Short mmCIF file of all heavy atoms in Angstrom, two decimals:
data_model
loop_
_atom_site.label_atom_id
_atom_site.label_comp_id
_atom_site.label_asym_id
_atom_site.label_seq_id
_atom_site.Cartn_x
_atom_site.Cartn_y
_atom_site.Cartn_z
N ASN A 1 20.57 -21.92 -11.88
CA ASN A 1 21.60 -20.88 -11.83
C ASN A 1 22.94 -21.53 -11.46
O ASN A 1 23.01 -22.36 -10.53
CB ASN A 1 21.24 -19.84 -10.78
CG ASN A 1 22.15 -18.62 -10.84
OD1 ASN A 1 21.88 -17.67 -11.59
ND2 ASN A 1 23.24 -18.62 -10.08
N LEU A 2 23.97 -21.17 -12.20
CA LEU A 2 25.31 -21.71 -11.97
C LEU A 2 26.26 -20.58 -11.68
O LEU A 2 26.26 -19.54 -12.38
CB LEU A 2 25.78 -22.48 -13.22
CG LEU A 2 27.19 -23.08 -13.16
CD1 LEU A 2 27.29 -24.15 -12.08
CD2 LEU A 2 27.58 -23.64 -14.54
N SER A 3 27.08 -20.74 -10.66
CA SER A 3 28.06 -19.71 -10.31
C SER A 3 29.40 -20.33 -9.97
O SER A 3 29.46 -21.47 -9.47
CB SER A 3 27.57 -18.84 -9.14
OG SER A 3 27.43 -19.62 -7.97
N PHE A 4 30.45 -19.58 -10.27
CA PHE A 4 31.82 -19.96 -9.92
C PHE A 4 32.43 -18.82 -9.13
O PHE A 4 32.25 -17.65 -9.50
CB PHE A 4 32.67 -20.24 -11.16
CG PHE A 4 32.13 -21.34 -12.05
CD1 PHE A 4 31.26 -21.04 -13.09
CD2 PHE A 4 32.50 -22.66 -11.86
CE1 PHE A 4 30.78 -22.03 -13.93
CE2 PHE A 4 32.00 -23.66 -12.66
CZ PHE A 4 31.15 -23.34 -13.69
N TYR A 5 33.14 -19.13 -8.07
CA TYR A 5 33.79 -18.06 -7.31
C TYR A 5 35.06 -18.56 -6.66
O TYR A 5 35.26 -19.76 -6.46
CB TYR A 5 32.83 -17.48 -6.25
CG TYR A 5 32.27 -18.45 -5.25
CD1 TYR A 5 32.91 -18.65 -4.03
CD2 TYR A 5 31.11 -19.15 -5.50
CE1 TYR A 5 32.39 -19.53 -3.08
CE2 TYR A 5 30.58 -20.03 -4.58
CZ TYR A 5 31.23 -20.21 -3.38
OH TYR A 5 30.72 -21.08 -2.44
N GLY A 6 35.93 -17.62 -6.37
CA GLY A 6 37.20 -17.95 -5.75
C GLY A 6 37.65 -16.86 -4.80
O GLY A 6 37.32 -15.69 -4.98
N LEU A 7 38.39 -17.25 -3.80
CA LEU A 7 38.88 -16.33 -2.76
C LEU A 7 40.30 -16.73 -2.43
O LEU A 7 40.61 -17.92 -2.30
CB LEU A 7 37.98 -16.39 -1.53
CG LEU A 7 38.43 -15.64 -0.28
CD1 LEU A 7 38.28 -14.15 -0.48
CD2 LEU A 7 37.62 -16.09 0.94
N GLY A 8 41.18 -15.75 -2.27
CA GLY A 8 42.55 -16.09 -1.92
C GLY A 8 43.24 -14.92 -1.22
O GLY A 8 42.89 -13.76 -1.43
N GLY A 9 44.23 -15.26 -0.40
CA GLY A 9 44.99 -14.23 0.28
C GLY A 9 46.33 -14.77 0.76
O GLY A 9 46.44 -15.98 1.06
N THR A 10 47.32 -13.93 0.79
CA THR A 10 48.63 -14.31 1.32
C THR A 10 49.17 -13.17 2.16
O THR A 10 48.91 -11.99 1.88
CB THR A 10 49.61 -14.66 0.18
OG1 THR A 10 50.88 -15.01 0.73
CG2 THR A 10 49.77 -13.49 -0.76
N SER A 11 49.88 -13.51 3.21
CA SER A 11 50.43 -12.49 4.11
C SER A 11 51.75 -12.97 4.65
O SER A 11 52.00 -14.17 4.81
CB SER A 11 49.45 -12.21 5.26
OG SER A 11 49.12 -13.41 5.98
N SER A 12 52.65 -12.04 4.95
CA SER A 12 53.96 -12.38 5.51
C SER A 12 54.47 -11.21 6.30
O SER A 12 54.15 -10.05 6.04
CB SER A 12 54.95 -12.73 4.39
OG SER A 12 55.19 -11.63 3.56
N VAL A 13 55.26 -11.53 7.32
CA VAL A 13 55.93 -10.51 8.11
C VAL A 13 57.24 -11.10 8.60
O VAL A 13 57.32 -12.26 8.99
CB VAL A 13 55.04 -10.05 9.28
CG1 VAL A 13 54.74 -11.19 10.23
CG2 VAL A 13 55.67 -8.89 10.04
N ASP A 14 58.30 -10.28 8.53
CA ASP A 14 59.63 -10.69 8.99
C ASP A 14 60.01 -9.77 10.15
O ASP A 14 60.06 -8.53 9.99
CB ASP A 14 60.68 -10.57 7.88
CG ASP A 14 60.37 -11.50 6.71
OD1 ASP A 14 59.67 -12.50 6.94
OD2 ASP A 14 60.82 -11.20 5.59
N ILE A 15 60.26 -10.36 11.29
CA ILE A 15 60.69 -9.62 12.48
C ILE A 15 62.20 -9.86 12.62
O ILE A 15 62.61 -10.91 13.09
CB ILE A 15 59.92 -10.04 13.72
CG1 ILE A 15 58.40 -9.89 13.49
CG2 ILE A 15 60.35 -9.25 14.94
CD1 ILE A 15 57.54 -10.37 14.64
N MET A 16 62.99 -8.87 12.20
CA MET A 16 64.42 -9.03 12.10
C MET A 16 65.14 -8.37 13.27
O MET A 16 65.14 -7.14 13.40
CB MET A 16 64.92 -8.44 10.78
CG MET A 16 64.20 -9.03 9.54
SD MET A 16 64.49 -10.80 9.34
CE MET A 16 66.26 -10.79 9.04
N ILE A 17 65.74 -9.21 14.11
CA ILE A 17 66.56 -8.69 15.21
C ILE A 17 67.99 -8.50 14.76
O ILE A 17 68.70 -7.60 15.22
CB ILE A 17 66.51 -9.67 16.41
CG1 ILE A 17 65.05 -9.88 16.85
CG2 ILE A 17 67.33 -9.16 17.58
CD1 ILE A 17 64.34 -8.63 17.26
N SER A 18 68.46 -9.35 13.83
CA SER A 18 69.85 -9.30 13.39
C SER A 18 70.18 -8.01 12.65
O SER A 18 71.36 -7.65 12.53
CB SER A 18 70.17 -10.50 12.51
OG SER A 18 69.34 -10.53 11.36
N ASN A 19 69.16 -7.30 12.13
CA ASN A 19 69.40 -6.04 11.44
C ASN A 19 69.61 -4.86 12.38
O ASN A 19 70.02 -3.79 11.94
CB ASN A 19 68.23 -5.72 10.50
CG ASN A 19 68.17 -6.66 9.32
OD1 ASN A 19 69.15 -7.37 9.05
ND2 ASN A 19 67.04 -6.70 8.64
N GLN A 20 69.30 -5.03 13.62
CA GLN A 20 69.40 -3.93 14.59
C GLN A 20 70.87 -3.64 14.90
O GLN A 20 71.63 -4.55 15.26
CB GLN A 20 68.66 -4.28 15.86
CG GLN A 20 67.15 -4.46 15.68
CD GLN A 20 66.46 -4.87 16.96
OE1 GLN A 20 67.11 -4.99 18.02
NE2 GLN A 20 65.15 -5.10 16.89
N ILE A 21 71.25 -2.41 14.75
CA ILE A 21 72.61 -2.00 15.08
C ILE A 21 72.70 -1.35 16.43
O ILE A 21 73.79 -1.14 16.99
CB ILE A 21 73.20 -1.08 14.01
CG1 ILE A 21 72.35 0.22 13.89
CG2 ILE A 21 73.25 -1.77 12.66
CD1 ILE A 21 72.98 1.25 12.96
N LYS A 22 71.52 -1.01 17.01
CA LYS A 22 71.46 -0.45 18.34
C LYS A 22 70.34 -1.13 19.11
O LYS A 22 69.39 -1.64 18.50
CB LYS A 22 71.23 1.07 18.29
CG LYS A 22 72.41 1.86 17.76
CD LYS A 22 72.18 3.36 17.89
CE LYS A 22 73.39 4.12 17.44
NZ LYS A 22 73.22 5.60 17.62
N PRO A 23 70.45 -1.15 20.44
CA PRO A 23 69.36 -1.75 21.24
C PRO A 23 68.03 -1.07 20.92
O PRO A 23 67.91 0.15 20.95
CB PRO A 23 69.79 -1.48 22.68
CG PRO A 23 71.29 -1.36 22.61
CD PRO A 23 71.57 -0.71 21.28
N THR A 24 67.04 -1.89 20.53
CA THR A 24 65.74 -1.39 20.11
C THR A 24 64.63 -2.17 20.82
O THR A 24 64.71 -3.39 20.92
CB THR A 24 65.56 -1.51 18.59
OG1 THR A 24 66.61 -0.82 17.93
CG2 THR A 24 64.22 -0.93 18.14
N ARG A 25 63.64 -1.46 21.25
CA ARG A 25 62.49 -2.12 21.87
C ARG A 25 61.65 -2.76 20.77
O ARG A 25 61.22 -2.12 19.83
CB ARG A 25 61.65 -1.11 22.67
CG ARG A 25 60.40 -1.72 23.30
CD ARG A 25 59.74 -0.70 24.23
NE ARG A 25 58.48 -1.20 24.75
CZ ARG A 25 57.29 -0.93 24.21
NH1 ARG A 25 57.22 -0.15 23.14
NH2 ARG A 25 56.17 -1.41 24.73
N ASN A 26 61.39 -4.06 20.90
CA ASN A 26 60.61 -4.81 19.93
C ASN A 26 59.26 -5.16 20.53
O ASN A 26 59.18 -5.91 21.51
CB ASN A 26 61.36 -6.09 19.52
CG ASN A 26 60.58 -6.92 18.53
OD1 ASN A 26 59.78 -6.38 17.76
ND2 ASN A 26 60.81 -8.21 18.54
N ILE A 27 58.19 -4.60 19.96
CA ILE A 27 56.87 -4.76 20.59
C ILE A 27 56.12 -5.97 20.00
O ILE A 27 55.06 -6.31 20.49
CB ILE A 27 56.02 -3.49 20.41
CG1 ILE A 27 55.80 -3.18 18.93
CG2 ILE A 27 56.68 -2.32 21.10
CD1 ILE A 27 54.84 -2.03 18.70
N TYR A 28 56.64 -6.61 18.94
CA TYR A 28 55.89 -7.67 18.29
C TYR A 28 56.47 -9.05 18.54
O TYR A 28 55.74 -10.00 18.83
CB TYR A 28 55.83 -7.41 16.77
CG TYR A 28 55.00 -6.21 16.41
CD1 TYR A 28 55.60 -5.09 15.86
CD2 TYR A 28 53.63 -6.18 16.64
CE1 TYR A 28 54.86 -3.97 15.52
CE2 TYR A 28 52.88 -5.06 16.32
CZ TYR A 28 53.50 -3.96 15.77
OH TYR A 28 52.76 -2.87 15.44
N GLY A 29 57.76 -9.22 18.40
CA GLY A 29 58.34 -10.54 18.50
C GLY A 29 59.26 -10.70 19.69
O GLY A 29 59.33 -9.82 20.57
N GLN A 30 60.00 -11.82 19.69
CA GLN A 30 60.97 -12.07 20.75
C GLN A 30 62.29 -11.37 20.40
O GLN A 30 62.65 -11.22 19.23
CB GLN A 30 61.18 -13.58 20.91
CG GLN A 30 59.93 -14.30 21.37
CD GLN A 30 60.05 -15.80 21.28
OE1 GLN A 30 59.82 -16.37 20.23
NE2 GLN A 30 60.41 -16.45 22.36
N ASN A 31 63.04 -11.00 21.44
CA ASN A 31 64.22 -10.17 21.22
C ASN A 31 65.49 -10.98 20.99
O ASN A 31 66.56 -10.39 20.92
CB ASN A 31 64.42 -9.26 22.44
CG ASN A 31 63.42 -8.12 22.46
OD1 ASN A 31 63.28 -7.38 21.48
ND2 ASN A 31 62.69 -7.98 23.56
N ASP A 32 65.39 -12.31 20.90
CA ASP A 32 66.59 -13.11 20.73
C ASP A 32 66.64 -13.85 19.39
O ASP A 32 67.51 -14.67 19.18
CB ASP A 32 66.69 -14.14 21.88
CG ASP A 32 65.55 -15.17 21.84
OD1 ASP A 32 64.55 -14.90 21.14
OD2 ASP A 32 65.66 -16.19 22.54
N ARG A 33 65.71 -13.55 18.47
CA ARG A 33 65.65 -14.33 17.22
C ARG A 33 65.02 -13.53 16.09
O ARG A 33 64.22 -12.65 16.28
CB ARG A 33 64.85 -15.60 17.45
CG ARG A 33 63.36 -15.39 17.75
CD ARG A 33 62.70 -16.67 18.23
NE ARG A 33 63.29 -17.13 19.47
CZ ARG A 33 63.09 -18.36 19.97
NH1 ARG A 33 62.32 -19.20 19.31
NH2 ARG A 33 63.65 -18.72 21.09
N ASP A 34 65.44 -13.93 14.87
CA ASP A 34 64.76 -13.48 13.67
C ASP A 34 63.58 -14.40 13.42
O ASP A 34 63.71 -15.63 13.54
CB ASP A 34 65.69 -13.51 12.46
CG ASP A 34 66.76 -12.44 12.51
OD1 ASP A 34 66.61 -11.48 13.29
OD2 ASP A 34 67.75 -12.55 11.77
N GLN A 35 62.44 -13.82 13.06
CA GLN A 35 61.23 -14.61 12.85
C GLN A 35 60.63 -14.30 11.46
O GLN A 35 60.41 -13.13 11.14
CB GLN A 35 60.19 -14.30 13.92
CG GLN A 35 60.68 -14.64 15.33
CD GLN A 35 59.71 -14.15 16.38
OE1 GLN A 35 58.64 -14.70 16.56
NE2 GLN A 35 60.10 -13.11 17.11
N TYR A 36 60.43 -15.35 10.70
CA TYR A 36 59.82 -15.22 9.38
C TYR A 36 58.50 -16.00 9.41
O TYR A 36 58.45 -17.16 9.76
CB TYR A 36 60.71 -15.85 8.32
CG TYR A 36 62.13 -15.29 8.29
CD1 TYR A 36 63.12 -15.85 9.12
CD2 TYR A 36 62.49 -14.25 7.47
CE1 TYR A 36 64.43 -15.36 9.10
CE2 TYR A 36 63.78 -13.75 7.45
CZ TYR A 36 64.75 -14.31 8.27
OH TYR A 36 66.03 -13.83 8.25
N PHE A 37 57.42 -15.31 9.01
CA PHE A 37 56.11 -15.95 9.09
C PHE A 37 55.32 -15.65 7.82
O PHE A 37 55.27 -14.51 7.33
CB PHE A 37 55.32 -15.48 10.28
CG PHE A 37 53.94 -16.10 10.40
CD1 PHE A 37 53.79 -17.40 10.87
CD2 PHE A 37 52.83 -15.39 9.98
CE1 PHE A 37 52.54 -17.99 10.93
CE2 PHE A 37 51.56 -15.98 10.06
CZ PHE A 37 51.42 -17.27 10.51
N THR A 38 54.65 -16.69 7.29
CA THR A 38 53.82 -16.57 6.09
C THR A 38 52.54 -17.35 6.29
O THR A 38 52.58 -18.48 6.84
CB THR A 38 54.55 -17.09 4.85
OG1 THR A 38 55.74 -16.34 4.64
CG2 THR A 38 53.67 -16.98 3.61
N SER A 39 51.43 -16.81 5.87
CA SER A 39 50.16 -17.55 5.86
C SER A 39 49.49 -17.37 4.51
O SER A 39 49.60 -16.32 3.88
CB SER A 39 49.23 -17.08 7.00
OG SER A 39 48.81 -15.74 6.76
N LYS A 40 48.78 -18.43 4.08
CA LYS A 40 48.12 -18.41 2.78
C LYS A 40 46.76 -19.08 2.89
O LYS A 40 46.58 -20.02 3.67
CB LYS A 40 48.96 -19.16 1.72
CG LYS A 40 50.36 -18.60 1.51
CD LYS A 40 51.14 -19.45 0.53
CE LYS A 40 52.55 -18.94 0.32
NZ LYS A 40 53.32 -19.80 -0.61
N LEU A 41 45.82 -18.60 2.09
CA LEU A 41 44.51 -19.23 1.98
C LEU A 41 44.04 -19.14 0.54
O LEU A 41 44.13 -18.07 -0.08
CB LEU A 41 43.48 -18.54 2.89
CG LEU A 41 42.02 -18.97 2.72
CD1 LEU A 41 41.83 -20.38 3.23
CD2 LEU A 41 41.07 -18.01 3.44
N GLY A 42 43.55 -20.26 0.01
CA GLY A 42 42.99 -20.28 -1.33
C GLY A 42 41.72 -21.10 -1.36
O GLY A 42 41.62 -22.13 -0.69
N LEU A 43 40.73 -20.67 -2.15
CA LEU A 43 39.42 -21.33 -2.20
C LEU A 43 38.86 -21.20 -3.60
O LEU A 43 38.84 -20.10 -4.19
CB LEU A 43 38.49 -20.71 -1.16
CG LEU A 43 37.05 -21.20 -1.02
CD1 LEU A 43 36.57 -20.96 0.40
CD2 LEU A 43 36.10 -20.45 -1.98
N LEU A 44 38.37 -22.31 -4.17
CA LEU A 44 37.65 -22.33 -5.44
C LEU A 44 36.37 -23.12 -5.26
O LEU A 44 36.38 -24.19 -4.66
CB LEU A 44 38.51 -22.96 -6.54
CG LEU A 44 39.68 -22.13 -7.09
CD1 LEU A 44 40.51 -22.98 -8.05
CD2 LEU A 44 39.18 -20.86 -7.79
N ALA A 45 35.27 -22.58 -5.78
CA ALA A 45 33.98 -23.24 -5.56
C ALA A 45 33.06 -23.03 -6.76
O ALA A 45 33.21 -22.09 -7.54
CB ALA A 45 33.31 -22.69 -4.29
N SER A 46 32.11 -23.96 -6.87
CA SER A 46 31.07 -23.87 -7.88
C SER A 46 29.75 -24.22 -7.22
O SER A 46 29.66 -25.16 -6.42
CB SER A 46 31.34 -24.82 -9.04
OG SER A 46 30.28 -24.79 -9.97
N SER A 47 28.70 -23.47 -7.55
CA SER A 47 27.41 -23.66 -6.93
C SER A 47 26.31 -23.75 -7.99
O SER A 47 26.26 -22.92 -8.90
CB SER A 47 27.13 -22.51 -5.95
OG SER A 47 25.90 -22.68 -5.28
N LEU A 48 25.45 -24.75 -7.82
CA LEU A 48 24.34 -24.96 -8.75
C LEU A 48 23.02 -24.92 -7.96
O LEU A 48 22.83 -25.72 -7.04
CB LEU A 48 24.48 -26.29 -9.48
CG LEU A 48 23.38 -26.65 -10.48
CD1 LEU A 48 23.44 -25.73 -11.69
CD2 LEU A 48 23.50 -28.13 -10.92
#
């Protein structure tokens, strides 16, 4: 039996402080910087 399979994913989030025009409580990132984050995963495999 021969099989081929693949798995992949990408994710990103931008925590923008510079866009705030009024003081806003930020529950995710730091309040003194813009933060850009991306993660990726890719996988290719064959099984016999």
